[in-house]
Amino acid sequence: MFINTLFNGMSLTSIILLASLGLSITFGLMRVINMAHGEFLMIGAYTTYVVQMVFSKLVPEQFQSWYYIASIPTAFVVAFLFGSLLEKVVISRLYGREIDSLLATFGISLILQQLARSIFGTQGVNVKAPDFLFGGITIGNLTFSYNRLFIIFSVVMCIVIMWYIMYRSGFGKQMRAVMQNRNMAQCMGINSRRVDNLTFAIGSGIAGIAGCSISLLGSVDSTVGQSYIVYAFMVVVLGGVGNLKGSVIGACIIGFASIFAENYTSATIAKAIVLFIVILFLQKRPQGLFVVRTRELD
Amino acid sequence: MKKFMGVLTILSMVAFVGCNNESAESDTVKVGLLHSLTGSMAISEQSVRDAEVLAISEINANGGVLGKQIEYIEEDGASDPSTFATKAEKLIDSEDVATVFGCWTSSSRKAVKSIFEDYEGLLWYPVQYEGMEASDNIVYTGAAPNQQIVPAIEYLIEQGYEDFFLLGSDYVFPRTANMIINAQIEDAGLNIVGEEYAGMEQTDFAAIIAKIEAADPDVIINTLNGTGNVSFFKQISEKNYTADDYMTMSFSIAEEEVATIGADILEDHMVSWNYYQTTDTVQNNDFVAAYKDMFGANRVTSDPAEAAYDAVYLWKAAVEMAGSFEVDDVLAAIATGKVSFDAPEGIVTIDGDTQHLAKPVRIGEVKNDGLIYEIFATDAPVEPDPYLKNYNWAVEAGIQPIE
């Protein structure tokens, strides 16, 4: 029972973390209060659906379930392009104006939701789990489903890739430089416009990958992003704005706390307990778990 | 000045056109459609709205009501009870509609109830619900609890199920429904092994599924609503559980929801309604054909859509019996208890006292073609009993409406 709870907590953590990784870049690093983040999850989920439809038309029966593998990069690319476009057209005009960017992205979120309704209808669409993710490993009387294991695996992959990009690649250096001190970075010859655009697009693309995963766990409809956005913001705020480690630990706190609380109480009370923990924590440490220190004068 | 004149000219033109409309209005009668076209409930309410539009266009094509064509005015409740209230007031007071077809959730119905009572309007409510209500200004065309929930539990008890697990969304319908089911199962001397409520926006059911595993029930009574159903069934099938491991009986899963969740996941699970797309009547064949013809071959009909379709025809029948569109006259006609319609689900009659319908009850099983097939049906229409006055166990338990 305890191991089962632990596994459930880990799996919820991985989903929340996957959903908030993108936001930890767009909000955490770039300080854009991106209310449309949930809609990038939605774009990822719908992309999975479209890829599934295309596969069912074009690909022979025995390769059907490969659609899911194909949908992951596709979802990344589609969400990446949407993010890049959004940054170019709207966000880039609103840097440093947090309230304006909040309102603008909120509007965009409504537009994207309506767009999804117009294209796919109000009724949710059905994304089928591929055969290789069906079922699970049974040890004793516990079943660990392949789907959950796969999500844990993909979140680990995403973190490794993001960590590499942010802390080991040349682009990551530029990115962190721009986010920490824009003027100085520009003086050093970094094209900050391009860095902004790519950073936002990568954040959106990762949200697209998260969309792939959540499409197997629940309903794919125009409101799917709304169910995750609160968690995502909570994780980023809790973890401390602007770094990866904080997001991981923030997601762990929220994920495990919800599952453990729900085990001994009810779903509604569990939610209240988690919010209470977050509020209490932010009272003690309003800046979050970890803080990025810079030498910039505020 | 010139600009001012221009504005005046336009205004007078508008007034003139407006007058024209007024004079043409003598051959039309206005009705309101009040459903959520946006927000989380739009998913469900779209099909109900479509069925109402279908009924209206059929009636218009056949000469209308009392020689008048029906003109519908559509308002968006936006899945928000207070918006429903505002829009209901607008429809009755400023649009002056003869009647309104609308709502889905109990909270939206409760929000508009007092408005229809204050303005002496008439609302046709097309969805099965938890009962414990009978407003003079509402006609309920969906099932009362004794036409859906109670017979379904009776059926399960007859089939030998003993340990029940109650799972629902956290709002008024599941909580009231489970209060009724608790009393019924206790009366039968059987066991409730668990009762859990999920938040409306909840997406992760791992903890609830773990509780189900620990309780090991024979059957799960599912009153989840909306997207929670999709998440729950996807996540329980993730572990390879089928109807053989955990049978479910659902009260809010119709054909539309089956398509969203996936027929392979829901195969062999049970549901309880009054109507299925597969219901074998001549009227239903016509209804399904007309619905698919108007909204697309991939669309499916469902119990709430059928009840909404019936509502429009029942209103027509009541108006024709009354010989008038006035709400008082229509209500007087309904009070005779003789207003009926040969509906796709069978003949339905409005009960004069409670303004609910007498309708047949059908237990169904989902099959892998995505349709639901009847496995049990009552021989005759069941009389509505929204307050469960004819059930001793319900009276003894003192079940009260949750406001």
Side-chain angles (χ1 to χ4, degrees):
Chain A
M1 188 65 204
F2 182 73
I3 296 175
N4 195 13
T5 312
L6 215 59
F7 179 72
N8 286 339
M10 196 151 86
S11 116
L12 181 62
T13 300
S14 65
I15 294 158
I16 295 174
L17 182 56
L18 201 53
S20 47
L21 269 183
L23 195 72
S24 77
I25 298 181
T26 54
F27 172 55
L29 276 179
M30 303 177 73
R31 306 294 165 93
V32 176
I33 302 179
N34 183 14
M35 298 296 282
H37 177 74
E39 278 53 53
F40 287 103
L41 298 176
M42 178 195 82
I43 289 171
Y46 272 117
T47 307
T48 314
Y49 171 70
V50 171
V51 172
Q52 176 192 279
M53 292 322 272
V54 171
F55 263 60
S56 74
K57 291 256 154 51
L58 299 179
V59 176
E61 195 73 32
Q62 65 267 38
F63 300 115
Q64 276 300 307
S65 46
W66 289 99
Y67 91 86
Y68 192 67
I69 302 294
S71 71
I72 294 172
T74 320
F76 179 84
V77 171
V78 173
F80 182 94
L81 292 177
F82 261 95
S84 171
L85 183 75
L86 178 65
E87 201 275 344
K88 198 146 252 161
V89 179
V90 183
I91 311 278
S92 61
R93 296 162 210 277
L94 298 172
Y95 284 121
R97 292 155 60 188
E98 289 183 358
I99 301 299
D100 295 358
S101 75
L102 184 152
L103 289 176
T105 50
F106 182 60
I108 289 159
S109 127
L110 294 178
I111 292 170
L112 288 176
Q113 281 181 42
Q114 187 56 46
L115 196 69
R117 271 197 288 273
S118 307
I119 298 173
F120 297 100
T122 50
Q123 187 78 29
V125 296
N126 176 17
V127 176
K128 271 192 187 144
D131 291 342
F132 60 86
L133 289 185
F134 217 77
I137 310 169
T138 308
I139 302 170
N141 53 359
L142 298 174
T143 308
F144 305 106
S145 77
Y146 291 131
N147 189 14
R148 301 287 177 133
L149 292 171
F150 186 78
I151 292 174
I152 294 171
F153 167 76
S154 28
V155 76
V156 171
M157 286 308 291
C158 280
I159 291 173
V160 169
I161 292 169
M162 265 180 66
W163 173 82
Y164 182 82
I165 292 176
M166 278 172 74
Y167 299 105
R168 286 290 176 271
S169 72
F171 172 73
K173 259 190 202 130
Q174 293 188 1
M175 183 165 108
R176 282 179 297 140
V178 170
M179 301 314 154
Q180 287 177 11
N181 193 333
R182 183 173 298 269
N183 292 339
M184 185 58 85
Q186 282 167 341
C187 289
M188 304 303 275
I190 295 172
N191 182 349
S192 70
R193 273 272 165 96
R194 192 180 135 262
V195 171
D196 283 337
N197 190 274
L198 269 177
T199 310
F200 192 86
I202 290 174
S204 307
I206 288 173
I209 295 181
C212 270
S213 294
I214 61 174
S215 71
L216 296 184
L217 292 175
S219 169
V220 180
D221 58 57
S222 57
T223 60
V224 61
Q226 298 299 305
S227 339
Y228 290 93
I229 183 123
V230 177
Y231 273 130
F233 271 105
M234 242 154 50
V235 164
V236 178
V237 172
L238 191 63
V241 172
N243 73 67
L244 218 49
K245 201 165 45 177
S247 295
V248 175
I249 294 177
C252 283
I253 292 175
I254 292 173
F256 282 102
S258 335
I259 291 287
F260 274 89
E262 197 176 336
N263 239 341
Y264 299 108
T265 61
S266 72
T268 317
I269 293 175
K271 207 166 188 180
I273 290 174
V274 170
L275 281 172
F276 185 71
I277 292 174
V278 173
I279 291 169
L280 214 63
F281 184 84
L282 290 179
Q283 284 294 318
K284 291 271 172 229
R285 264 187 90 87
Q287 69 276 43
L289 277 168
F290 300 98
V291 191
V292 179
R293 291 204 175 77
T294 68
R295 292 182 182 173
E296 190 175 19
L297 292 169
D298 280 318
Chain B
M1 191 62 198
K2 205 170 179 186
K3 204 171 179 183
F4 177 69
M5 288 301 287
V7 170
L8 259 190
T9 323
I10 290 170
L11 271 182
S12 58
M13 275 167 70
V14 168
F16 182 69
V17 173
C19 285
N20 258 359
N21 270 350
E22 288 288 313
S23 64
E25 211 173 68
S26 56
D27 356 308
T28 64
V29 55
K30 282 203 273 191
V31 302
L33 303 187
L34 179 57
H35 290 292
S36 301
L37 304 176
T38 55
S40 63
M41 286 310 298
I43 292 172
S44 304
E45 292 190 57
Q46 183 73 37
S47 61
V48 174
R49 174 258 172 213
D50 287 349
E52 285 160 1
V53 171
L54 171 66
I56 290 171
S57 67
E58 282 180 2
I59 292 171
N60 282 344
N62 290 318
V65 184
L66 295 180
K68 289 191 181 192
Q69 292 284 301
I70 306 171
E71 177 193 347
Y72 64 87
I73 298 180
E74 202 165 358
E75 289 292 344
D76 179 9
S79 311
D80 170 38
S82 63
T83 311
F84 267 96
T86 319
K87 300 289 188 180
E89 197 161 6
K90 182 181 171 212
L91 282 172
I92 309 175
D93 200 30
S94 22
E95 299 285 358
D96 205 20
V97 295
T99 189
V100 175
F101 302 94
C103 300
W104 176 294
T105 60
S106 292
S107 37
S108 67
R109 185 192 67 251
K110 288 196 187 290
V112 301
K113 184 173 153 226
S114 62
I115 291 167
F116 280 92
E117 285 167 354
D118 293 347
Y119 285 93
E120 294 183 354
L122 178 58
L123 171 71
W124 297 77
Y125 175 70
V127 184
Q128 48 74 234
Y129 79 116
E130 69 280 1
M132 308 294 145
E133 191 179 297
S135 166
D136 289 340
N137 299 78
I138 302 178
V139 180
Y140 306 79
T141 67
N146 76 312
Q147 295 166 318
Q148 187 196 23
I149 297 169
V150 174
I153 302 295
E154 275 169 7
Y155 175 79
L156 291 174
I157 293 171
E158 266 170 37
Q159 296 292 310
Y161 290 97
E162 288 180 352
D163 297 331
F164 296 73
F165 192 101
L166 311 186
L167 170 64
S169 302
D170 204 356
Y171 77 104
V172 58
F173 166 68
R175 290 223 175 235
T176 316
N178 285 343
M179 200 154 64
I180 295 169
I181 296 167
N182 261 307
Q184 191 179 0
I185 289 175
E186 204 166 289
D187 181 65
L190 303 174
N191 321 311
I192 306 262
V193 293
E195 182 170 349
E196 288 295 326
Y197 295 93
M200 280 302 268
E201 301 284 299
Q202 187 157 338
T203 49
D204 194 276
F205 282 79
I208 286 178
I209 291 171
K211 284 183 186 173
I212 292 174
E213 286 170 331
D216 193 27
D218 295 334
V219 60
I220 300 164
I221 309 297
N222 168 25
T223 42
L224 288 172
N225 257 259
T227 53
N229 267 318
V230 188
S231 304
F232 171 67
F233 278 104
K234 274 189 178 174
Q235 289 172 31
I236 198 161
S237 81
E238 225 175 36
K239 294 193 150 189
N240 263 351
Y241 291 136
T242 63
D244 290 336
D245 304 298
Y246 295 110
M247 178 54 92
T248 67
M249 167 68 85
S250 303
F251 297 126
S252 298
I253 292 184
E255 286 83 347
E256 296 249 9
E257 285 76 16
V258 174
T260 318
I261 299 166
D264 51 335
I265 291 177
L266 279 175
E267 193 173 355
D268 296 336
H269 285 283
M270 289 191 273
V271 298
S272 172
W273 293 103
N274 310 104
Y275 162 91
Y276 303 109
Q277 181 172 315
T278 57
T279 298
D280 191 17
T281 62
V282 181
Q283 290 75 11
N284 186 38
N285 293 343
D286 295 345
F287 170 59
V288 173
Y291 192 84
K292 284 178 180 283
D293 194 40
M294 195 160 176
F295 303 108
N298 58 345
R299 292 286 298 272
V300 285
T301 61
S302 61
D303 182 281
E306 193 262 354
Y309 178 82
D310 297 352
V312 181
Y313 274 101
L314 284 165
W315 171 72
K316 173 178 180 269
V319 166
E320 284 171 349
M321 185 183 278
S324 149
F325 290 106
E326 290 301 315
V327 170
D328 288 346
D329 300 336
V330 174
L331 284 175
I334 289 170
T336 63
K338 293 202 173 92
V339 176
S340 75
F341 170 57
D342 198 357
E345 67 181 77
I347 292 176
V348 291
T349 315
I350 306 179
D351 175 55
D353 297 329
T354 59
Q355 300 191 165
H356 286 61
L357 300 189
K359 45 171 53 202
V361 180
R362 297 183 167 95
I363 311 286
E365 208 172 59
V366 181
K367 286 297 164 202
N368 62 4
D369 59 358
L371 294 178
I372 303 170
Y373 294 88
E374 186 180 302
I375 50 174
F376 166 81
T378 51
D379 305 326
V382 177
E383 290 299 321
D385 183 5
Y387 289 96
L388 299 173
K389 282 179 192 146
N390 299 321
Y391 297 86
N392 277 331
W393 50 263
V395 176
E396 277 163 24
I399 292 164
Q400 292 292 320
I402 301 173
E403 286 296 340

